[in-house]
Amino acid sequence: MPLSERQLAAFADKHAVQIPYDTSPRHLAGPGDARHVTHGLAAAGWNAVSDPLSAEIILASPDLRHRLQFDPQSRTSAWWRLRAEPVGTEPGWYAEFGELVPAEVLAAFTDALTAPPPQQPDPWQQVTSAGWHHEPDGARSPDSMCHIELRPLSEFHDRSSWHIETREPGHGEFSGPRIWHAYLDEHTPAHLVSAFLTALTDRSPLQRGMFERTGHYSAVQEPSPLHPQLVVDAHATRIKHLRAQARSARRQQTKPATIPAHASTAQPAARR
């Protein structure tokens, strides 16, 4: 079912009456509105395949290769799960995200999934340029509460994988309780990893409404210069872009095969 104007209006109704606060750093901003993710995928042509009366949401890509599950009643710490089935020589992959992962950061990951992949980027480039501290086993945020790690192959791990965790401040060598986590297995495409890490380490704040949940009490919140309607307009603009991108991709898939070279001598009147 495509994203309806009624659903967009419901998003607008909520955010238009909220007083937005600039909230930073992003890894402590809290979950935000899950519709940043689900609306984006619906605009890109993904369909809901879950029970409409269930709290669980399952979206499937048009080619049925990708499947996103959002389960706010999950018995584990992973509320978001994304699976890709293997196709031809391309392996399948799996990623999961905790409850308090900011929806806007996860949306950067899912938006990249719906777009043609760019050249393979270096996932560490944006992390270090954002001022995060590079370490032998990964990188950590300036406040040391978020850690990014690429665990290599070893006798304890049969596959290399990305592990991102945000934790409460610890004592000495002991880490505090976990706030949220993300796990991306070794086959997760590099451009998706890069999109997630770029959005996570972006220094610009995220907007949260007054009294809206954050990831930790140490998150800094200041009245935003943005008018509430600007938050709504930004969402509508993104949805419009994703819709146009999906239409363009469908046209490319249905475009007839290239005319053979020997047919180039056809008369101009025969052209369409």
Side-chain angles (χ1 to χ4, degrees), residues 32-153:
D33 194 325
R35 290 175 292 188
H36 284 292
V37 178
T38 56
H39 279 194
L41 291 178
W46 289 45
N47 293 301
V49 295
S50 49
D51 181 347
L53 298 182
S54 171
E56 179 184 40
I57 298 174
I58 301 176
L59 299 175
S61 61
D63 61 4
L64 302 181
R65 185 190 178 194
H66 301 95
R67 191 178 182 95
L68 177 73
Q69 177 187 20
F70 172 65
D71 185 4
Q73 297 178 334
S74 173
R75 296 181 180 180
T76 71
S77 58
W79 280 30
W80 299 90
R81 294 182 175 88
L82 191 91
R83 291 180 173 84
E85 298 297 328
V87 174
T89 58
E90 296 184 32
W93 53 270
Y94 171 79
E96 67 176 41
F97 307 87
E99 171 191 0
L100 296 181
V101 172
E104 297 91 336
V105 175
L106 179 52
F109 182 93
T110 54
D111 283 2
L113 179 60
T114 66
Q119 292 183 348
Q120 296 298 329
D122 177 9
W124 293 112
Q125 182 177 354
Q126 293 298 326
V127 174
T128 55
S129 64
W132 285 43
H133 306 293
H134 187 70
E135 298 177 337
D137 61 344
R140 60 183 171 85
S141 59
D143 63 6
S144 298
M145 292 180 67
C146 188
H147 187 259
I148 301 169
E149 181 183 5
L150 177 59
R151 296 180 184 174
L153 297 172

Side-chain angles (χ1 to χ4, degrees), residues 16 31-32 74 76 86 96 117 140 154 157 198 239 248 251 270-271:
S74 173
T76 71
E96 67 176 41
R140 60 183 171 85
S154 71
H157 303 283
T198 298
I239 295 303
S248 177
R251 285 196 297 268
R271 295 176 183 173

Side-chain angles (χ1 to χ4, degrees), residues 178-207:
R178 189 168 72 179
I179 297 174
W180 63 260
H181 80 288
Y183 165 80
L184 315 173
D185 80 13
E186 69 163 336
H187 296 304
T188 304
H191 73 286
L192 302 184
V193 176
S194 181
F196 183 82
L197 297 184
T198 298
L200 174 64
T201 59
D202 190 335
R203 294 177 182 177
S204 59
L206 296 175
Q207 277 66 51

